[in-house]
Amino acid sequence: MKTVKYLNFYGRRRGKKLSKLQKQHIKFFLPKVCLSGVSYDENPKRENLDLEKIFGKKCPVWLEIGFGGGEHMLSIAKQNSNIGIIGCEPYLNGVAMLLPRLAKENLDNIKVFSDDGRILLDVLPDKSITKLFLLFPDPWPKKKHKKRRFVNTENLRMFKRVLKPDSSIYIATDVNAYARHVLEIFNK
């Protein structure tokens, strides 16, 4: 089910001041690896992305939501050149950490979406993702903030729509309360 609505975003978009090199990579390199056609402005009708066109070939596509500095994503991209990987990270400093390393590695199988993962999930084709990584998401530990957690019933419905049958979801956390929360949501 496609939805076009305003999404509340919880968390920071920026942190420390970016270095000159990071600013240059955002200006010149990010447009080369940026996943376009996702935002509400670019895609107001919320049409599905053409992943074969995006990666220039038909290939399995993996998705990492909240890639942080991109260490995991770079590692799996180097080991799996035949896989298309979409990395989603709304925190600009994380994107800025990834870009110089991505430019140095010269990998062509990574696309970056630097905004909220729910916006991306909304335009991914049905049954298009073979692996989903959600590594160490913000646990929002306060009871009043539980609704902010990325693993929730609504997002689980989107995961179910975009994941291929027999696909894998990898969720990692070091917060016991969040692990229990994830298990409860999945058990429902």
Side-chain angles (χ1 to χ4, degrees):
M1 178 172 87
K2 299 282 180 179
T3 58
V4 179
K5 62 180 180 178
Y6 174 76
L7 298 172
N8 287 327
F9 178 80
Y10 303 106
R12 295 184 303 160
R13 297 273 187 179
R14 292 175 185 243
K16 295 178 185 175
K17 185 176 178 181
L18 300 177
S19 71
K20 186 176 179 179
L21 178 66
Q22 288 174 324
K23 287 179 184 177
Q24 286 180 331
H25 276 90
I26 286 173
K27 185 175 181 178
F28 298 111
F29 188 67
L30 181 58
K32 295 177 184 177
V33 297
C34 185
L35 187 61
S36 60
V38 180
S39 73
Y40 292 115
D41 291 338
E42 296 173 312
N43 189 352
K45 293 182 181 177
R46 311 310 290 149
E47 295 174 0
N48 284 341
L49 299 176
D50 183 343
L51 297 178
E52 188 172 339
K53 183 177 178 183
I54 288 167
F55 288 105
K57 61 185 177 184
K58 189 175 177 110
C59 63
V61 178
W62 296 355
L63 172 62
E64 183 165 350
I65 297 175
F67 61 73
E71 299 87 352
H72 175 259
M73 190 168 57
L74 282 171
S75 174
I76 61 174
K78 285 193 277 187
Q79 296 170 20
N80 300 279
S81 59
N82 59 328
I83 303 293
I85 301 171
I86 299 172
C88 182
E89 178 59 63
Y91 186 56
L92 185 62
N93 295 65
V95 174
M97 287 174 59
L98 166 74
L99 294 176
R101 290 183 256 163
L102 183 55
K104 182 181 176 188
E105 295 291 341
N106 197 27
L107 299 170
D108 65 354
N109 61 333
I110 292 180
K111 295 295 177 188
V112 175
F113 179 61
S114 55
D115 206 336
D116 191 324
R118 297 170 297 172
I119 298 169
L120 174 61
L121 287 168
D122 196 39
V123 295
L124 285 173
D126 293 354
K127 301 184 183 354
S128 59
I129 304 298
T130 54
K131 286 188 183 180
L132 172 68
F133 300 92
L134 187 59
L135 308 178
F136 302 96
D138 193 328
W140 295 103
K142 293 181 181 177
K143 187 175 182 178
K144 67 182 181 179
H145 294 153
K146 282 177 86 171
K147 65 181 181 226
R148 298 178 179 188
R149 292 177 172 172
F150 199 81
V151 175
N152 59 49
T153 305
E154 185 178 329
N155 289 347
L156 196 60
R157 276 191 222 106
M158 287 196 277
F159 296 166
K160 184 178 178 183
R161 183 186 65 76
V162 302
L163 289 168
K164 289 185 174 189
D166 297 325
S167 58
S168 301
I169 300 176
Y170 297 88
I171 301 174
T173 183
D174 51 3
V175 178
N176 289 336
Y178 196 86
R180 279 191 301 278
H181 168 79
V182 168
L183 292 172
E184 288 171 8
I185 294 293
F186 273 80
N187 282 330
K188 287 181 184 177

